[in-house]
Every structure is written in C-alpha cells, then in structure tokens.
Amino acid sequence: MGKRTVTLSDDMQQFVSRQARDQQHPDEAEYIRSLIRREQYGAFAWDGSADHLQALIPQAEQSGTAIPASDVYIQDFKSRMQRIIEQASQTPQGKDE
C-alpha cells in the first residue's frame, strides 16, 4: 500500500476531522479513503453500513446483464465477504455493518 502526505489548510483540516467524527470513521485517513472509493466506484461505493449495502442491491440489479460466475469465483467472493463481515463486527464504532 502506498503512502501519501497531503497538506491541508486549518479550515480543511477541521472539516476533515469533523466529517470523520460525524460519519463515525475510525480515523481521518479512513474518511479520506472513503471519499476516494466513492469517487472511484461512484454509486457502488459501499460506506460500510448494512443499510447502504441493502440500498445498492436494486442499483446492481438494474446495472446490466449478469456475467456467469464459476464455482471458484463464488467461493472466493463468499470468503472475501466473510472477512469483511468479521472485520466490521470487530470495529468499536457500534455501527450496524
């Protein structure tokens, strides 16, 4: 994973701190990463909440033709989702993830 340093004005730093806290991110870096994911993946960027994931389902269903997935792909997907669920359940934020 790469590391970047960004210089922010005092106003921007206060804004980032406030947003990270208000949106219950574990730290400011995670807030910044969430902004990048949102920009990178658009409407399909997941904010970590179960409600948001549920809201993404209709968008995904309407996004186009499904591509058949192999058993290996499905097993890998299930494993990755299980790791995400386990990590989310270990977060101290008390969010419903």
Side-chain angles (χ1 to χ4, degrees), residues 19 21 24 27 46 70:
Q19 292 297 104
R21 183 190 66 240
Q24 299 180 333
D27 54 41
W46 180 39
S70 69

Side-chain angles (χ1 to χ4, degrees), residues 9-97:
S9 68
D10 290 341
D11 287 342
M12 291 178 85
Q13 179 58 42
Q14 289 173 2
F15 176 80
V16 168
S17 296
R18 215 174 25 255
Q19 292 297 104
R21 183 190 66 240
D22 292 350
Q23 295 180 26
Q24 299 180 333
H25 291 283
D27 54 41
E28 293 169 3
E30 185 55 38
Y31 168 68
I32 298 297
R33 284 190 288 274
S34 76
L35 294 177
I36 294 169
R37 281 190 298 272
R38 192 176 315 146
E39 189 69 23
Q40 186 176 14
Y41 300 114
F44 292 101
W46 180 39
D47 71 4
S49 72
D51 290 339
H52 187 211
L53 187 58
Q54 188 70 33
L56 291 175
I57 292 172
Q59 293 175 32
E61 290 174 337
Q62 296 171 6
S63 67
T65 305
I67 300 170
S70 69
D71 291 340
V72 172
Y73 174 83
I74 292 170
Q75 185 57 41
D76 179 61
F77 179 79
K78 286 179 179 179
S79 296
R80 286 185 287 137
M81 292 302 105
Q82 186 61 39
R83 282 194 300 274
I84 289 170
I85 290 167
E86 289 170 1
Q87 290 172 349
S89 68
Q90 295 172 3
T91 59
Q93 304 154 358
K95 290 174 29 176
D96 294 330
E97 298 168 299

